[in-house]
Amino acid sequence: MNGDALLGDLGAIVGTDHAFVDDVGTYSVDWTKRFGAPGAVVVRPGSVDEVVAVVDWCRARSVAVVPQGGNTGLVGGGVPLDGEIVLSTRRLDAIGPVDAVSRQMTVGSGATLAAVQMAAEEAGLRYAVDFGARGSATIGGTVATNAGGVNVLRYGMTRRQVVGLEAVLGDGCVFGHLSGLEKDNTGFDLVSLLCGSEGTLGIVTAARIRLVPRASHVSTSLVGFATMAAAVRAVGVIRSGTDSLDAAELMLDSGARLVGEAFGVGRPFDAPVYVLIEASADHDPSEQIEMLLSGCEGVTDVAVAVDARTRRDLWRLRDEHTAAIGTKGVPRKFDVTVPVGALAEFIEAVTGRVSMASPASETFVFGHVADGNMHVNVLGGDDDEVIEETVLGLVLEHGGSVSAEHGVGRLKKAWMPRQRSTVDLDLMRAIKRACDPGLFLNPHVLLDTW
Ligand code: FAD
Ligand code: MLT
Ligand code: ZN
């Protein structure tokens, strides 16, 4: 079918303004610039019925579809590889009223994380998932990748915030569970199954999400440590000493300096290792945090945010790591988990091994230390395979995961047989065929062969 006819058909479904060729790469190239190329056909349905109509049209012509939200994914899962159509959910951005009794809200999958956080805040509540891409990442994308972020240690991953979903499956059927029932033990948990499915089982069109109470006091401090081991130990002490810990984000001197150089973000002191600690409670938690820290070794400095501006500045030091590294080139991004007990040793080992394997490369390590989830970004150097084997091989040696929170996408498909059992992979294939019998929803993502 020629391009005009194709756009004509799709435009008749979604409106001519919402079916077009993306010549500049906004939808066709991923955030890391490592995947995709300009020129994909993009459709932006405005309702679940239009999503069904687009899916039926594509299915009838065996045209594959890549569901896309904010296109902030970091594993190449949201852009076409070989002629797929991008189905953008950005217009499905309704934000329902907050139900104060159940502390739930129904939102369109195209609503951004920031918009949902604001709606919850206006109702005196909080949506517990948060991370640097909040302004563009969509709720549908965070469900599809089961996104983590900075508050996982207290509230869990996205899956734990999802009460129900509406989604269009690969056969065009609409799967709907938005009633908000907290208890419904009638059969398989199909909602959880779609969380983390990366657009391969269904296109999420709406989500019923759980909100949490908004604490009246927040305490944010940047703590400097002499060593990695001291930092990891201190986070363990704080985590076991209080229920108010929301976030513990580790950064190294190299990353903090780079954020300073790239974006002029200052830091209150220099240290080899930093941990951004944030706690919230209905009393001021700062004294408790200070008392717990006072018993920790290796603390070199502490700076406590005194107001919203200084709190924001401390968070910018952490949030801007990804973008700052991107100013120096296209990094190889490794988003890994290792058992927290092995974390300090892993971080020391991985930076040393990468520089041995690829002397011309530069490694930045930062991340969600309480979850054992580190982001290892490697710039420069020339041997992708050697670097990948060095980092991910070490992760598997430590009994960790090659993908902590970003998903598998196209970036880590090759590692799935080394991460998951044959039983697991065969079961995933069977589920995929049940939800998407034509294998045309995001066919090049997550597994090499369906
Ligand atoms: P997209 O990038 O559009 O798509 C991501 C995947 O989800 C693709 O496979 C796509 O096919 C699928 N998908 C998207 N929408 C739907 C839908 N409605 N139905 C079905 N499938 C869909 N991630 C974390 O987990 N933790 C972090 O701390 C974190 N920090 C980040 C910081 C920065 C600066 C950036 C750029 C990214 C960060 N990310 C983080 C990665 C990214 O933001 C998340 O993976 C996010 O969930 C992607 O949402 P999105 O709407 O942009 O999805
Ligand atoms: C983060 O925590 O900043 C993200 O997961 C992004 C990244 O890995 O770059
Ligand atoms: Zn992260």
Side-chain angles (χ1 to χ4, degrees):
M1 169 178 264
N2 76 33
D4 290 347
L6 182 147
L7 287 178
D9 279 11
L10 293 172
I13 297 171
V14 298
T16 45
D17 290 348
H18 302 295
F20 53 89
V21 173
D22 166 35
D23 292 321
V24 295
T26 310
Y27 298 82
S28 317
V29 178
D30 85 313
W31 195 90
T32 69
K33 306 284 181 268
R34 192 172 274 270
F35 295 96
V41 168
V42 180
V43 284
R44 292 186 308 204
S47 67
V48 60
D49 292 344
E50 288 184 9
V51 174
V52 171
V54 170
V55 164
D56 286 345
W57 186 93
C58 290
R59 201 155 46 92
R61 293 158 183 80
S62 303
V63 175
V65 172
V66 174
Q68 188 184 88
N71 198 14
T72 66
L74 296 171
V75 291
V79 292
L81 171 68
D82 181 16
E84 304 93 303
I85 278 181
V86 173
L87 189 151
S88 169
T89 62
R90 295 191 193 193
R91 291 176 64 207
L92 304 176
D93 59 357
I95 293 187
V98 169
D99 175 336
V101 174
S102 64
R103 288 182 179 162
Q104 295 176 3
M105 175 161 60
T106 297
V107 297
S109 59
T112 63
L113 184 51
V116 166
Q117 289 172 341
M118 197 183 306
E121 191 169 333
E122 282 160 8
L125 294 168
R126 176 182 179 191
Y127 181 59
V129 175
D130 188 34
F131 53 84
R134 61 184 73 82
S136 310
T138 63
I139 292 301
T142 59
V143 168
T145 57
N146 186 29
V150 298
N151 297 327
V152 168
L153 72 95
R154 186 168 186 179
Y155 297 105
M157 310 279 281
T158 294
R159 179 178 280 119
R160 211 184 309 160
Q161 325 309 322
V162 176
V163 181
L165 291 175
E166 176 193 72
V168 178
L169 303 178
D171 58 7
C173 293
V174 179
F175 159 94
H177 278 271
L178 295 174
S179 65
L181 287 179
E182 281 289 351
K183 291 187 170 179
D184 174 6
N185 257 344
T186 53
F188 297 167
D189 185 350
L190 301 173
V191 170
S192 274
L193 185 68
L194 281 167
C195 296
S197 59
E198 300 188 47
T200 61
L201 300 183
I203 301 167
V204 173
T205 48
R208 181 81 179 173
I209 54 175
R210 197 168 272 125
L211 305 176
V212 297
R214 168 170 297 282
S216 48
H217 290 78
V218 179
S219 153
T220 308
S221 31
L222 185 69
V223 187
F225 289 92
T227 65
M228 190 78 65
V232 174
R233 258 197 315 273
V235 168
V237 165
I238 297 172
R239 192 170 189 194
S240 49
T242 173
D243 292 338
S244 65
L245 186 63
D246 277 353
E249 293 295 307
L250 183 135
M251 301 169 264
L252 301 183
D253 175 56
S254 54
R257 281 181 191 283
L258 180 60
V259 172
E261 286 156 22
F263 303 120
V265 179
R267 51 192 181 277
F269 52 78
D270 286 337
V273 184
Y274 298 88
V275 178
L276 185 60
I277 295 277
E278 183 152 288
S280 65
D282 284 338
H283 59 278
D284 182 350
S286 15
E287 270 179 37
Q288 192 181 28
I289 298 292
E290 196 182 328
M291 181 274 293
L292 290 165
L293 267 176
S294 63
C296 296
E297 288 166 11
V299 175
T300 56
D301 261 297
V302 182
V304 182
V306 292
D307 55 25
R309 188 186 56 74
T310 45
R311 173 176 179 257
R312 202 175 38 248
D313 290 347
L314 291 181
W315 270 107
R316 270 201 78 199
L317 199 57
R318 167 60 183 89
D319 275 348
E320 299 285 14
H321 262 65
T322 306
I325 293 165
T327 64
K328 292 197 74 174
V330 179
R332 292 165 203 81
K333 294 182 79 65
F334 302 101
D335 153 47
V336 299
T337 320
V338 295
V340 180
L343 196 55
E345 187 252 325
F346 167 78
I347 297 170
E348 311 280 7
V350 75
T351 37
R353 287 200 192 182
V354 171
S355 52
M356 266 170 57
S358 176
S361 65
E362 194 179 3
T363 300
F364 293 89
V365 181
F366 60 100
H368 320 287
V369 53
D371 320 331
N373 174 193
M374 280 295 120
H375 297 304
V376 180
N377 283 218
V378 181
L379 280 167
D382 46 16
D383 194 331
D384 282 354
E385 273 178 40
V386 168
I387 292 171
E388 188 170 289
E389 182 62 41
T390 302
V391 177
L392 298 185
L394 190 65
V395 168
L396 293 182
E397 270 176 45
H398 282 81
S401 169
V402 298
S403 181
E405 57 178 11
H406 296 166
V408 175
R410 284 167 34 203
L411 183 66
K412 300 175 194 170
K413 285 196 297 188
W415 284 80
M416 286 298 276
R418 292 174 65 175
Q419 179 80 49
R420 301 294 293 265
S421 69
T422 316
V423 171
D424 284 9
L425 297 177
D426 288 345
L427 196 49
M428 288 187 201
R429 291 186 182 99
I431 292 166
K432 164 76 170 172
R433 288 174 184 281
C435 297
D436 176 24
L439 303 185
F440 79 108
L441 285 185
N442 233 352
H444 302 296
V445 154
L446 226 168
L447 293 190
D448 252 335
T449 53
W450 288 109

